[in-house]
Amino acid sequence: MPDIRLPYLLYLGDAGPEFGAKTAQGVLHWRPEVCLAQARLPGCAVDLRLKDLSFSEAVERGARTLLIGVTNRGGVLPQHWIPHLEEAVKAGLDIASGLHERLADVPELARAAADFGRQLHDVRHPPANLPLATGAKRTGKRVLMIGTDCAVGKKFTALAVHAEMERRGLAATFRPTGQTGVLIAGSGIALDAVPGDFIAGCAEALSPDAPTDHWDVFEGQATVLHPTFAAVTTGLIHGSQPDALVLCHQAGRLEMRGLSGRALPSLRETIDAHLAAAQLTNPGAKCVGVSLNTNDLSERDAHRAIAEASAEVALPATDPVRFGAGALVDALID
Amino acid sequence: MPDIRLPYLLYLGDAGPEFGAKTAQGVLHWRPEVCLAQARLPGCAVDLRLKDLSFSEAVERGARTLLIGVTNRGGVLPQHWIPHLEEAVKAGLDIASGLHERLADVPELARAAADFGRQLHDVRHPPANLPLATGAKRTGKRVLMIGTDCAVGKKFTALAVHAEMERRGLAATFRPTGQTGVLIAGSGIALDAVPGDFIAGCAEALSPDAPTDHWDVFEGQATVLHPTFAAVTTGLIHGSQPDALVLCHQAGRLEMRGLSGRALPSLRETIDAHLAAAQLTNPGAKCVGVSLNTNDLSERDAHRAIAEASAEVALPATDPVRFGAGALVDALID
């Protein structure tokens, strides 16, 4: 997948209340420096509080890629946006999208991109010629976020660990494995869309040989104990060959997301199942800490929940949103 | 994926020595009754010893689908076959292919299929709108082949177990999960081509609720201990929810296929790793027997190797090619 040229102009169209802006908000939160402005049609209900610019104004000020920043249920592109997006391509912008519907499958956009030499990035759709994993050990250090469930804070924790490593002057690269992560980083592969045979191979390709003291900080996906999505987690864990795992969990969650009646595994079961998988390609893999999402708790209850989680598995624990990722980075470099 | 209409006319083109006929031979071996005849161009070096028929002769005698029975390295369709295949569609045949290159992407074939109301089956390419797994338990019984490696005899064992069950008058359905299996059965999904998020969901969809005494006999894929392909195995094992596992192994194989220097796991390690995965969606899952591929051994050595494997894991063992699948079916219905 070619890298996405930055900075972005964030496209919000005339998104009404049926649209979510999670993608744009994620990119803006983590990389405000690559979000130059927003572009909207009359009637747009979403406002990211960025300057509103036309396509040509944005290009003049250095914008390189129009990021589709909102998505509706179903992930389809509203028809009446297409002429507007075509104008963006003609004005000199690439387009990046995390929609299910592929930009490259829209004839007007495919033609405009070809005519004007622009790229269309469909981050939900993997490129052709994917690699197979070899299992061969690579140089450099790798940490992978694992979890008790989907949507417990794995991406956030990876980004927070990476940011804290950079703050300390450590050599580190964030390795996204999901679509929002790819758009934040401007590179990477959304592994959930990759055919099964190639998931581990893509995870290997995402983090090539690196200097001995360099950290690849991998966004995690789902859990090996999730009956729906464990295939992706398994390929990711084998291909990323992590030296260290960080366990992510949402305090108080009792049932697996989307599977009513299925209890969440315990922290210990989760660690053991992921270590067993990780040790297939890296016998030295260890779990080094816990990232607890305490969003639903008071600060006092959060401290208590973190202390309990830490005691339960005898590892350092923190909530990186509330208290920073310092404790996790301390554990990693230990 | 719509079912493939049977019987087949096996297409061999003008395949030279650079082509393999594994697909056609597999279908012919397991389901001779659905292989009506073969169709060849002048100069063809492959001969399956079936009657040679033209497309219109074959249609008159009841053939419904032209199966591309040979494949070259790379899985591409020779250009000069295309007009010939177009004739087949015009004569009234659907086409089924396990090639990497998609029939539906060949404009002449796509147009002919649309004009003449025929189907093009690209079994390596999954259909759109794939399902997500729910993990909900289904009625009926399921057995899944697992293995110490790729290509140890999982498809063969599943077909042999299924055939033996039918011979005994048991209610049983073969559930293919790879391309040759799909072509043999005329239905199913090749899971290795399915995006990671949907592998378990497809395995669930392949074997819906069934009568209590009905067996779904699942072809296996790779192994959860293979660093390249374990993602597919994991999704398959979670989605198929097997009550019983049959362990497949090739006697004498020491290294994993395609991964030089990586030792094969032991029979016991393989069973334990697959049981751990299977018990996530079916806590009652058990391994009931061993299928040993003794192809490289004398008959005396084969008996000895089978006895040793049986003793090693304290389970019945056999080589279904040499000695039939009776011992495995005995263990399953026990």
Side-chain angles (χ1 to χ4, degrees), chain B residues 14-295:
Chain B
D14 57 353
E18 75 279 20
F19 281 81
K22 213 181 116 189
T23 301
Q25 280 158 352
V27 178
L28 188 56
H29 177 86
W30 285 104
R31 300 199 67 194
E33 76 279 12
V34 304
C35 299
L36 189 85
Q38 62 187 12
R40 304 192 292 169
L41 289 168
C44 185
V46 179
D47 185 357
L48 299 169
R49 298 172 188 235
L50 294 171
K51 190 186 288 288
D52 282 287
L53 291 182
S54 72
F55 299 140
S56 56
E57 287 168 342
V59 169
E60 261 171 44
R61 298 191 192 190
R64 300 299 193 86
T65 298
L66 187 74
L67 170 60
I68 314 272
V70 286
T71 186
N72 48 17
R73 225 181 144 72
V76 293
L77 198 62
Q79 278 296 316
H80 65 283
W81 290 5
I82 293 174
H84 201 216
L85 297 177
E86 218 181 320
E87 287 310 310
V89 172
K90 291 179 181 170
L93 292 163
D94 296 345
I95 307 183
S97 157
L99 297 174
H100 273 295
E101 187 177 357
R102 204 188 295 246
L103 297 173
D105 286 343
V106 179
E108 295 90 331
L109 298 181
R111 198 177 320 115
D115 289 351
F116 290 80
R118 299 272 61 89
Q119 296 284 326
L120 303 175
H121 297 277
D122 284 298
V123 300
R124 257 185 211 257
H125 298 274
N129 298 320
L130 296 168
L132 287 172
T134 67
K137 188 88 182 73
R138 310 190 295 288
T139 55
K141 287 181 279 193
R142 289 165 184 83
V143 54
L144 171 67
M145 307 304 136
I146 61 169
T148 51
D149 196 1
C150 302
V152 290
K154 289 187 281 290
K155 179 171 73 250
F156 189 99
T157 305
L159 284 159
V161 165
H162 173 251
E164 175 66 15
M165 284 181 163
E166 291 217 312
R167 213 186 52 77
R168 298 192 189 184
L170 300 169
T173 309
F174 169 60
R175 298 299 186 187
T177 60
Q179 54 168 323
T180 303
V182 170
L183 292 169
I184 289 170
S187 64
I189 301 175
L191 294 183
D192 57 359
V194 167
D197 267 2
F198 302 101
I199 296 171
C202 287
E204 287 191 353
L206 280 175
S207 70
D209 278 326
T212 317
D213 60 349
H214 176 275
W215 281 97
D216 276 320
V217 183
F218 268 92
E219 179 188 359
Q221 292 296 328
T223 149
V224 296
L225 297 174
H226 196 295
T228 313
F229 301 118
V232 177
T233 321
T234 301
L236 169 56
I237 204 163
H238 288 163
S240 60
Q241 303 178 351
D243 303 287
L245 304 175
V246 170
L247 173 62
C248 303
H249 174 59
Q250 178 161 30
R253 190 181 299 187
L254 300 175
E255 266 187 8
M256 294 196 98
R257 183 65 68 95
L259 298 173
S260 91
R262 179 172 281 268
L264 227 63
S266 72
L267 302 186
R268 174 50 58 198
E269 284 172 310
T270 305
I271 291 173
D272 289 347
H274 286 84
L275 276 181
Q279 287 167 354
L280 181 74
T281 55
N282 189 342
K286 285 193 291 200
C287 186
V288 301
V290 178
S291 169
L292 199 67
N293 177 341
T294 64
N295 203 25

Side-chain angles (χ1 to χ4, degrees), chain A residues 261-334:
Chain A
R262 178 171 283 267
L264 227 63
S266 72
L267 302 186
R268 173 52 57 199
E269 284 172 307
T270 306
I271 290 173
D272 289 348
H274 286 83
L275 277 181
Q279 287 167 355
L280 183 74
T281 55
N282 188 343
K286 285 192 293 200
C287 186
V288 301
V290 179
S291 169
L292 198 68
N293 177 339
T294 64
N295 203 25
D296 300 333
L297 304 183
S298 69
E299 180 143 341
R300 209 177 109 178
D301 288 349
H303 279 296
R304 183 159 41 202
I306 289 168
E308 283 171 7
S310 174
E312 188 177 335
V313 293
L315 289 171
T318 186
D319 179 342
V321 177
R322 275 185 143 143
F323 309 116
L328 298 173
V329 175
D330 290 345
L332 281 165
I333 61 180
D334 200 21

Side-chain angles (χ1 to χ4, degrees), chain A residues 3-334:
Chain A
D3 285 359
I4 300 171
R5 299 188 314 147
L6 304 174
Y8 291 124
L9 175 64
L10 300 179
Y11 184 76
L12 308 175
D14 57 353
E18 75 278 20
F19 281 82
K22 211 181 119 189
T23 301
Q25 279 158 353
V27 178
L28 188 57
H29 178 87
W30 285 104
R31 299 198 69 193
E33 75 279 12
V34 304
C35 297
L36 189 84
Q38 64 187 12
R40 305 191 292 169
L41 289 168
C44 185
V46 179
D47 184 358
L48 299 170
R49 298 172 187 234
L50 294 172
K51 190 185 289 285
D52 282 287
L53 291 183
S54 73
F55 298 140
S56 55
E57 285 167 342
V59 169
E60 260 171 45
R61 298 190 192 191
R64 301 297 194 86
T65 297
L66 187 74
L67 170 60
I68 313 272
V70 286
T71 186
N72 49 15
R73 223 179 147 74
V76 292
L77 197 62
Q79 278 296 317
H80 64 283
W81 291 5
I82 293 173
H84 201 217
L85 297 177
E86 219 181 319
E87 287 309 310
V89 172
K90 292 180 181 169
L93 292 163
D94 295 346
I95 307 183
S97 158
L99 298 173
H100 273 295
E101 187 178 357
R102 205 188 295 245
L103 298 172
D105 287 343
V106 178
E108 295 90 329
L109 298 182
R111 199 178 319 116
D115 289 351
F116 290 81
R118 297 272 62 91
Q119 296 284 325
L120 303 175
H121 297 278
D122 285 298
V123 301
R124 257 185 210 259
H125 298 274
N129 299 318
L130 296 169
L132 287 173
T134 66
K137 188 88 182 75
R138 310 191 295 289
T139 55
K141 288 180 279 194
R142 289 165 185 82
V143 53
L144 171 68
M145 306 306 134
I146 62 169
T148 51
D149 196 1
C150 302
V152 290
K154 290 187 279 290
K155 179 172 73 249
F156 189 98
T157 305
L159 283 160
V161 164
H162 174 250
E164 174 67 14
M165 285 181 161
E166 290 217 312
R167 212 185 54 76
R168 297 189 189 186
L170 299 169
T173 308
F174 169 60
R175 298 300 186 187
T177 60
Q179 53 167 325
T180 302
V182 170
L183 292 170
I184 290 171
S187 64
I189 301 175
L191 294 183
D192 56 359
V194 167
D197 268 2
F198 301 101
I199 296 172
C202 287
E204 287 191 352
L206 280 176
S207 70
D209 278 326
T212 318
D213 60 350
H214 176 275
W215 281 96
D216 276 321
V217 182
F218 267 91
E219 180 187 359
Q221 292 295 328
T223 148
V224 296
L225 297 174
H226 196 294
T228 313
F229 302 117
V232 176
T233 320
T234 301
L236 170 56
I237 205 163
H238 288 163
S240 60
Q241 302 178 351
D243 303 287
L245 304 175
V246 170
L247 172 63
C248 303
H249 174 59
Q250 178 162 30
R253 191 181 299 187
L254 300 175
E255 267 187 8
M256 294 194 98
R257 183 64 68 97
L259 298 173
S260 93
R262 178 171 283 267
L264 227 63
S266 72
L267 302 186
R268 173 52 57 199
E269 284 172 307
T270 306
I271 290 173
D272 289 348
H274 286 83
L275 277 181
Q279 287 167 355
L280 183 74
T281 55
N282 188 343
K286 285 192 293 200
C287 186
V288 301
V290 179
S291 169
L292 198 68
N293 177 339
T294 64
N295 203 25
D296 300 333
L297 304 183
S298 69
E299 180 143 341
R300 209 177 109 178
D301 288 349
H303 279 296
R304 183 159 41 202
I306 289 168
E308 283 171 7
S310 174
E312 188 177 335
V313 293
L315 289 171
T318 186
D319 179 342
V321 177
R322 275 185 143 143
F323 309 116
L328 298 173
V329 175
D330 290 345
L332 281 165
I333 61 180
D334 200 21

